[in-house]
Structure formats: C-alpha cells, structure tokens
Amino acid sequence: MDDTMGLPSPLSPDFALHTSRTTNAFTDRHSRTLLLRGLNVSAGSKLPSPCPPPSSPSFYTLPPTYTQHPFPAAASARHWFTQMRSWGVNIVRLVIVWEALEPLELGTYDMEYIEHIRAIVHEAARVGMRVFVDGHQDCWSRFTGGSGAPQWAFDLVGLDATAFPETVSAALELSPSSDDADTPRLDTPSGRLWPTNYTKFGPATLFTLFFAGELYAPSAVYTGPHPAYAGGGHNVGHVLRSAYTRAFATLMAALVPCGNVVGIDPMNEPHPGYIGLRSLRAWNETTELHLGAMPSAVEGMALAGGEAVGVGQWERSWPHPSVRRKTVTMNTGRRRAWREGREDVWKREGVWWRNDDGTLGGRDDYFVTNPQTGEAVDFERDCYVPFLQSFWAAMPKGTWLFVEPIPNLGPPSWPADPASSADAEDRLVYAPHWYDIRTLFEKALNPTVTFDVLRLAAGSRNFLAHTYFGASGLAGNYAANFSRIVADVAVFRGQARGVRVVGEGAGGKVVRPKPTPVLIGETGVPMDLNAQSFYAGDTGTQGVMLNALLSAMERHRLNWTLWTFTLSHATCGDQGALPCDNEPGARHQAGDGWNSEDFSVVYGAAELARRGGAAGKKVVGGDGYGGDWGVLRLPAQFLRPYPTATAGRLVASGFELAERRFEVEYIPCPVTAVKGAEGADLVDEFTRRTTEVYIPNYHYAGRTSIRAVVIDAAGKGWEEEWIVDAEGTQGQGRGEKGEGKAVGGECRYFHWTWKRREQEMRIVHSAEAAGARVVIRAEALETRAGAGGGAGILARLISSVV
C-alpha cells in the first residue's frame, strides 16, 4: 500500500455517525437517534461519456472518461444537492466504478476524475449532506453487460473481451446503432438480459479469480510489467483484489478533507462466480435468472475455449420465471475468448475437457470444496468477508463499512474482533438491497393482488399466507420482506462481541446481537412498468408502489438510499406507440441510460429543459421555501415528513399519504444537569434535548393550518392549539409572526417551533417529559387546489405525551 493508506479521518463532528447502544440505529454526537433518507447519485455514473454501443468497435477502443458524472461541474452539484436537502434528503450513496478510477492500465489513476469527485463531494458538504461511496459494479464490467471493472482487468487474466459476444461469454445488446453521442442508447450495454450475465463465462470467471484465484486457479500467475507484482509469482486474484482496493483507497484519501464522507460500500451486489457451484451442468434456476442463451458452467468454459456447443434457450413463463424452449449450437466459428498465447485457465486446472466421444467432461464438484481445508467451501466465510476486512483496513481510519450480503444468499456472519472490547463501536452497517423482483422481471404490477415471491421461491407451499390484496396489502407484503432483513442482523452480528442473552425460548437461549445500523442501500420503482403507462400520463400504479415501498420501510424505522437520481434519464421514439414494453428495439423507450432501467426519481436534463427549467432555474411546482418539486416524478409519494434527529429512543414513525397524516412516537432522553456550564456546553445540552422533524411544505404549507399540543404527563392534562394562516402568520398562542418565520409554543414539558422556511419542526423537552411516551402528529384536514399540486393544505399538528 502507498502512503495515503490508513490516513486519519477528520470527519466533521456535524457529520459524524455513531451506533446506538440499544437499537440498530445511527446516532449523532448528541446521542440523538438519526434517520438517514437519501438517494443513489447516480445511475449515469455507471458508464463513461460518451459510451458507444457494444455493436461498435469503439466500445472497446475509445478511452473512457467519467468526468461528466454524476454532475458536469461543481455549480450543478451545488444546485442539485441544495434541491435534495429541500426534499428531506440527508445522505447520498455516491456511485463510483473501478473503470472511472483506473481506466487504462494497472496502477495509473485518472486524477482529473478523482479531483472532479472531490469537488462534487465538497459541494455536498457545503449544504450539510453526508456521503458514502459505493464501489459499484453489475456483472463485473460494462464489457460483460454491466458496469464496473476496466478492460485491462480481462487482459490481466488472459481474456479477450471483444470475443465475449461470439463465445456467449456475456450477453450484449448488438443491434445496429450509430456512434452519434446525441443518440440515446437506453438499452446499452445489455438490455433486459443483463442479470443473466452473472452466470456467463466472463463474469463468473472474473468473480471466481478475484475472490479465490489462489484456491481454484493457483497456476494463474501475473505475468505483466507492473513493478509491485512483476516476478513475484503473484496469483492474478491477489493482483485484482489489491488493485481494486488501492484504487478506492486512493479516492477515499482524496475525499478525507471534505469532512462529510462517512464510509464506503466496498462492492455493489457481489457475486461468487463459480465458487460453491454444486454442478458444472446447471445453474440454480431459483436464484439465477434464466433468459435467452444460458450455457451451463462447463458449456461456458468450452465455448470460451473455442468449442461449438449446443446451448439452451430460455423464455419467460409463469409460475416459474422461465422455461427452456430449445437448444441452439453456438460459436460455430470456434472463436476463443482466451488471448493468443494465453492458456485456458480452467482447462489447465483440469476443470473441463472434451471426451473422445465428443461429449463435454468436467469435475462436477471442483468448486464445492475449499482445497486448502478439504471442507465444503463457504463463499462468505472463506472469500467475501476476508476481502472486506482487507479492503476496510486500507481505508482512512474511522471509515464506516457498509456491508452488502450476496444477493439471494442472505447475510454473511461477521467475525468477532478479539482485539476490541464488548462495547467498542465498530462502525459496521448492514446495507442490503431489496427490490420487488417479480415486478422487475415482468415490468408489470397489479396492486389488487400481489405475492411474497421470495417466500414462495424459498419453497413455502402456503400460497394464501403469502398473498396480499390491495394497496395496503402491497405495503404489508413489502413490510414482511423488510422484517426479514431486520431479523438478518442477528446472523450478520451473531459472532460479534457484545452479543447478549436476553432470555430463554423454545429453541434455547435467546440472544440480542450487537446493535448494528441497517440501511437499505438500493430499492426503487421501475417507472416504465405496465407498458410504460407513466409516459401516457397514468402514474397511478407507480405512485401506489412507491408509497407502499416507503411506508413499509418506515414501519421498521429503516434508513435508505433510493435508486436513483440521474440527469441522464431520457426518452426516445414515438410516444404514439404507447402502450408498449420498454424493450430494446421498441418504438418508444425510456430509461436511465443503462440496460433499459427506468428508476430515476427526477426527470432527465432533456425533459427538464422541455419543461422550462434547468440547473439554477425554476420549473413547474415548488414554492419559495420548499424547493422545486416539479423536477420530481412522483413528488406526493417521495416528499414525506420524518424525524431527522430524535432526542431519545425512536419508537415509531410513519406517513399515511391518503390522509396526509404523519405520526412519530418517541421516548425523550433524560435531561442532564449542566452546572456552571456556559457557551458550547449549554448549546450541546440544548441540542441533545431537541427533536428535529422534516415537515415538507408540499403537503402542509400554503393555506390555513392548525398546530396543537396535547400533553398528559403524570396524570395531568395540558392542551393548546395554534392557528397558522396562509402567510405563515400565527393567529393564536405564542410565537413569532410573519411569513417564513417560526411559529410555536411552550408549556411545562416542551417548547416547540415550526419553521416554514426550513420545513422543520423542533421540539425541545424538559426534565419532566423524560421517559414518557411522546406522539407528534401532522394531519391534513381538507384538500384544496393550490400548493403541492392539490396536496392537503389545512394541517393539524398534535403533540402528546401519554
């Protein structure tokens, strides 16, 4: 490692995160419970700009540059981060791919891009936004139909990426296309077949070598010129992991001075490749998507080795996701995916061969056993967690690690650190992703009846128990899925020091795992579902789905970063062709510029220009204090009140959109006497007792509203009501008057204010309220046309202690 590794992190105290001692929650330096609500920024950062289509030779030869992403300049970043803050966003998952950092050769970084990202992150700090870095990849690389690794990573192990389409080593979208940068390629590089690439030879081989080259390809030794590895007999797996880690450590070191980068997610949606594969003859149809040409592992190795092979062709079906319809002989030209003069690694290791009778032979259990221990291999224990630990050790000190489980495998079990004390804060976050996979697969949703697909896929035959009805049932369906994620923390931290026995159950001791914050790193709504109804003006189903998704996460008090914010979102084709599915070649297409995905919560730059707005300019919607909500695609569902910082233990928080009714329940923390303190000490104590709630003007401002405080502490009732008219003037009770100023009141137990300009309510509790149960409500009592596009205007805020 170079001199940048292990730098101390001067994280600003205002951005610092801590772990609650009793719950799976973040806290701030004042011990207040935090909720982090954010966005992935951005999907456009997955690919270089420009990015030719895979059908063009320049896809492989044009030097990649990413300096237009996620924003073209600091001024644009400042504008959009300011907008996000007005929408209640307080954290960003910053999408960074390896190719952007180290695009052309091993050890040579794009310092212009790294400086560009530093400037972007600095703008986030200026508006009070936390950031964590996402080491993003999908299917290993854009050269294998996704995003992530640079082309030289294939060269390093001896593979020729240009041969992948012909050898079925990756599924790429090869429809004829112009190299014109102004022509949107919404299906590049792989279209809707992109998830099938995880089992194709290219990604499966690279993931296997990356995580376990020393175990399964010990003869694959680095032969390149880089002085850190040349002549040392280093396995290619070690070189790949080391290079990947160095690249992100270099970026993180450059971001340290910004003061707001709290951590890093080492690898987006990692995959084990062949590791643990029970048979070379078939992939698991339950966990691995089967569509189009789907060679088995041994067939993929043979195709890459220059053999012509009969490959199964799969199509969509129900209730099984897909079914094999026919077999087609592929790679009839017998092209090799291995470079000239480079030996086939898997053939050399004796994994596969061609029998004398022409059939394919292979060591079916080759990837089942760990060769070093002789025991069954456990990918997470033997490969993934050791990589995460090594990666984390290279990051600046104080970096939080956002750990993703392997999709479809559940959480890894994080080992205890024998050097740490039982109550030591270890800065670990459980950060899984969750999507409604059936809706993603079919690009369709009927909220009338939905199913818990993951439960059914896991083998449950209680069909009715996993069937949900209506919009409320959809939210219940999603909440059931998130409840399993919350329960997974017990597995993730099952070995951690600090695990406590809390009782006895039917199965023996009941333990409480070490408190660990949970953040859903990705989830979202495919806006192009139901034959792209959104673009025909019917946004109802998308709105129902987003509201159900956010409501379900609210029930579990989860932190999240939605997928995604991207200004590269675009549409193309004939709108008159709607309704039609958003497929490669469709007459109308829409998406985020990557593999026909359409998740962006905002309209793209071109659409905003048509609507009369651009960075720094007003667009339709919004008010002087609530930001520009006209740029949001589903503002009513997205803009939601929530407690950003709770002075005590958060019990519940949720928003009912139909009634525009918000409720948060918490137990205030004890008040600490600060004798003789002054200045900063008094400010800290006041802040520790202050609960802050985001109250979006979209739902609650613009007309006469009511604020009421109802308190019943120690059996003594107290009640007072506050009237706020259309201009924000308080008509009854105590507090300041005037547009945009604070209104509020106080009693023995609380002092509270509502600030329209900041879209914020603050509640400061006294010693008498500590330990009681507090409920704060905001409720719209009538709906009028006007602010918020017809949102409820007359609002009622109620605070109560019971």
Side-chain angles (χ1 to χ4, degrees):
M1 294 296 171
D2 61 36
D3 293 337
T4 65
M5 310 313 167
L7 283 174
S9 174
L11 191 65
S12 166
D14 292 334
F15 294 114
L17 294 174
H18 303 278
T19 302
S20 167
R21 290 182 177 272
T22 57
T23 63
N24 294 329
F26 291 108
T27 61
D28 65 8
R29 64 190 179 103
H30 304 289
S31 300
R32 297 182 300 176
T33 302
L34 299 179
L35 285 181
L36 302 182
R37 303 286 167 82
L39 292 167
N40 281 265
V41 178
S42 96
S45 300
K46 290 187 177 189
L47 300 175
S49 184
C51 182
S55 57
S56 166
S58 58
F59 180 72
Y60 301 96
T61 59
L62 184 69
T65 176
Y66 285 79
T67 52
Q68 292 298 306
H69 303 299
F71 305 105
S76 175
R78 184 182 317 127
H79 168 78
W80 287 111
F81 285 139
T82 301
Q83 288 297 303
M84 291 180 203
R85 291 293 283 141
S86 75
W87 302 334
V89 171
N90 58 14
I91 192 167
V92 159
R93 182 176 184 251
L94 189 64
V95 176
I96 306 288
V97 297
W98 184 10
E99 184 184 42
L101 299 173
E102 201 172 8
L104 298 177
E105 62 180 356
L106 174 63
T108 301
Y109 306 120
D110 187 342
M111 298 310 298
E112 180 184 358
Y113 172 74
I114 290 175
E115 173 57 26
H116 174 73
I117 293 299
R118 190 207 61 78
I120 297 297
V121 171
H122 176 68
E123 295 301 330
R126 290 180 60 180
V127 302
M129 186 85 75
R130 290 181 175 91
V131 172
F132 71 99
V133 170
D134 158 35
H136 204 89
Q137 71 80 35
D138 305 276
C139 307
W140 182 258
S141 170
R142 68 184 172 102
F143 300 102
T144 45
S147 64
Q151 190 174 4
W152 59 258
F154 297 101
D155 299 339
L156 186 146
V157 302
L159 288 170
D160 177 6
T162 66
F164 288 170
E166 194 171 345
T167 59
V168 205
S169 298
L172 297 172
E173 175 52 47
L174 300 178
S175 59
S177 176
S178 165
D179 274 354
D180 183 359
D182 295 328
T183 301
R185 286 292 311 201
L186 309 179
D187 55 9
T188 193
S190 197
R192 288 180 62 183
L193 290 177
W194 75 264
T196 69
N197 281 315
Y198 278 110
T199 58
K200 299 292 195 300
F201 171 84
T205 291
L206 265 296
F207 276 119
T208 304
L209 295 177
F210 180 90
F211 285 115
E214 296 91 330
L215 294 180
Y216 296 108
S219 64
V221 176
Y222 176 72
T223 58
H226 194 281
Y229 311 105
H234 295 285
N235 187 270
V236 293
H238 166 75
V239 177
L240 288 170
R241 293 192 303 275
S242 175
Y244 183 88
T245 300
R246 285 173 178 266
F248 279 96
T250 299
L251 171 68
M252 292 294 285
L255 299 181
V256 161
C258 296
N260 62 327
V261 179
V262 297
I264 187 167
D265 178 343
M267 182 177 287
N268 179 76
E269 298 181 358
H271 193 275
Y274 298 128
I275 303 166
L277 185 63
R278 294 183 178 278
S279 172
L280 298 182
R281 308 289 173 175
W283 293 94
N284 188 332
E285 296 176 35
T286 301
T287 59
E288 306 292 350
L289 179 62
H290 283 54
L291 275 181
M294 292 297 299
S296 66
V298 70
E299 290 169 348
M301 292 175 184
L303 287 161
E307 302 279 350
V309 177
V311 177
Q313 309 291 310
W314 294 69
E315 297 178 1
R316 291 186 179 89
S317 67
W318 179 254
H320 297 290
S322 57
V323 63
R324 181 170 178 161
R325 295 295 187 191
K326 59 183 178 180
T327 299
V328 175
T329 300
M330 308 192 77
N331 195 23
T332 55
R334 298 183 180 275
R335 185 174 180 181
R336 292 179 81 244
W338 298 97
R339 288 193 170 276
E340 188 69 28
R342 298 296 293 269
E343 195 173 355
D344 180 333
V345 166
W346 301 126
K347 200 167 191 178
R348 182 174 59 210
E349 299 292 350
V351 181
W352 77 277
W353 57 86
R354 177 72 80 173
N355 292 314
D356 292 340
D357 62 2
T359 59
L360 292 176
R363 292 174 59 184
D364 215 37
D365 61 350
Y366 184 77
F367 297 102
V368 174
T369 303
N370 183 331
Q372 291 183 349
T373 65
E375 300 176 353
V377 69
D378 182 320
F379 170 73
E380 293 162 316
R381 179 197 64 205
D382 299 341
C383 306
Y384 183 47
V385 170
F387 160 70
L388 293 177
Q389 292 174 312
S390 175
F391 182 95
W392 196 11
M395 298 301 117
K397 294 176 181 178
T399 297
W400 283 75
L401 195 71
F402 291 72
V403 178
E404 293 190 38
I406 310 302
N408 301 316
L409 286 188
S413 184
W414 194 265
D417 181 0
S420 69
S421 62
D423 60 351
E425 186 171 61
D426 45 17
R427 297 187 178 89
L428 275 174
V429 184
Y430 185 52
H433 298 178
W434 187 87
Y435 289 97
D436 182 336
I437 58 173
R438 183 183 177 191
T439 298
L440 263 61
F441 179 70
E442 298 180 352
K443 292 250 180 146
L445 174 66
N446 180 359
T448 304
V449 182
T450 58
F451 307 96
D452 187 340
V453 176
L454 292 180
R455 270 289 184 241
L456 296 175
S460 173
R461 294 296 176 262
N462 193 343
F463 198 77
L464 185 59
H466 306 303
T467 303
Y468 297 82
F469 301 95
S472 61
L474 182 65
N477 183 355
Y478 293 168
N481 280 267
F482 287 119
S483 70
R484 295 196 291 271
I485 286 176
V486 173
D488 281 344
V489 174
V491 178
F492 178 52
R493 302 313 310 277
Q495 297 182 33
R497 299 191 68 184
V499 171
R500 291 174 290 167
V501 177
V502 296
E504 298 286 339
K509 291 182 178 180
V510 178
V511 300
R512 178 179 295 163
K514 189 169 186 178
T516 303
V518 181
L519 182 145
I520 306 301
E522 282 188 25
T523 188
V525 172
M527 299 290 188
D528 58 348
L529 56 78
N530 293 355
Q532 303 185 81
S533 64
F534 189 96
Y535 300 97
D538 180 4
T539 65
T541 302
Q542 290 85 347
V544 167
M545 183 177 178
L546 182 58
N547 184 56
L549 183 62
L550 300 182
S551 295
M553 290 191 289
E554 287 170 345
R555 293 187 195 183
H556 294 288
R557 304 180 299 283
L558 290 171
N559 307 282
W560 67 70
T561 48
L562 289 181
W563 188 266
T564 173
F565 172 99
T566 180
L567 297 177
S568 62
H569 182 274
T571 61
C572 64
D574 179 13
Q575 193 166 357
L578 296 171
C580 66
D581 288 335
N582 190 22
E583 301 271 10
R587 289 176 58 199
H588 183 275
Q589 296 182 44
D592 305 327
W594 185 84
N595 284 342
S596 300
E597 283 199 345
D598 188 0
F599 285 89
S600 181
V601 301
V602 297
Y603 294 100
E607 176 67 13
L608 290 177
R610 287 195 296 271
R611 293 163 60 86
K617 297 182 180 180
K618 185 72 67 178
V619 295
V620 178
D623 68 7
Y625 308 127
D628 293 343
W629 52 61
V631 305
L632 292 166
R633 301 174 77 187
L634 293 171
Q637 294 79 10
F638 179 79
L639 297 168
R640 308 170 78 84
Y642 73 99
T644 57
T646 303
R649 182 168 66 86
L650 181 61
V651 176
S653 176
F655 178 55
E656 295 293 335
L657 176 61
E659 296 81 20
R660 287 177 171 80
R661 175 186 174 92
F662 164 70
E663 183 170 298
V664 56
E665 182 177 337
Y666 70 102
I667 299 175
C669 64
V671 175
T672 303
V674 186
K675 296 182 180 180
E678 56 184 55
D681 290 336
L682 287 175
V683 171
D684 286 348
E685 173 56 26
F686 182 82
T687 303
R688 200 172 78 86
R689 295 186 285 118
T690 301
T691 294
E692 300 174 5
V693 183
Y694 170 67
I695 304 287
N697 286 342
Y698 182 93
H699 292 294
Y700 295 105
R703 293 294 188 275
T704 300
S705 57
I706 298 175
R707 305 292 186 270
V709 180
V710 182
I711 293 178
D712 184 11
K716 297 181 179 180
W718 183 92
E719 181 173 351
E720 191 156 356
E721 190 171 79
W722 307 85
I723 308 297
V724 183
D725 66 23
E727 284 73 38
T729 300
Q730 184 169 301
Q732 176 185 337
R734 298 171 290 276
E736 295 183 79
K737 297 182 179 181
E739 183 176 0
K741 293 185 178 180
V743 296
E746 58 184 295
C747 69
R748 176 180 175 183
Y749 309 103
F750 290 96
H751 172 82
W752 68 272
T753 57
W754 174 66
K755 299 180 180 180
R756 182 185 176 199
R757 188 185 301 273
E758 289 82 5
Q759 303 185 97
E760 181 181 72
M761 187 178 183
R762 292 192 174 196
I763 305 97
V764 184
H765 69 265
S766 65
E768 290 85 347
R773 191 172 292 268
V774 177
V775 178
I776 302 169
R777 299 187 185 94
E779 184 178 1
L781 301 180
E782 65 181 46
T783 301
R784 300 177 185 173
I793 311 301
L794 187 61
R796 180 177 183 87
L797 286 183
I798 303 172
S799 297
S800 63
V801 177
V802 294

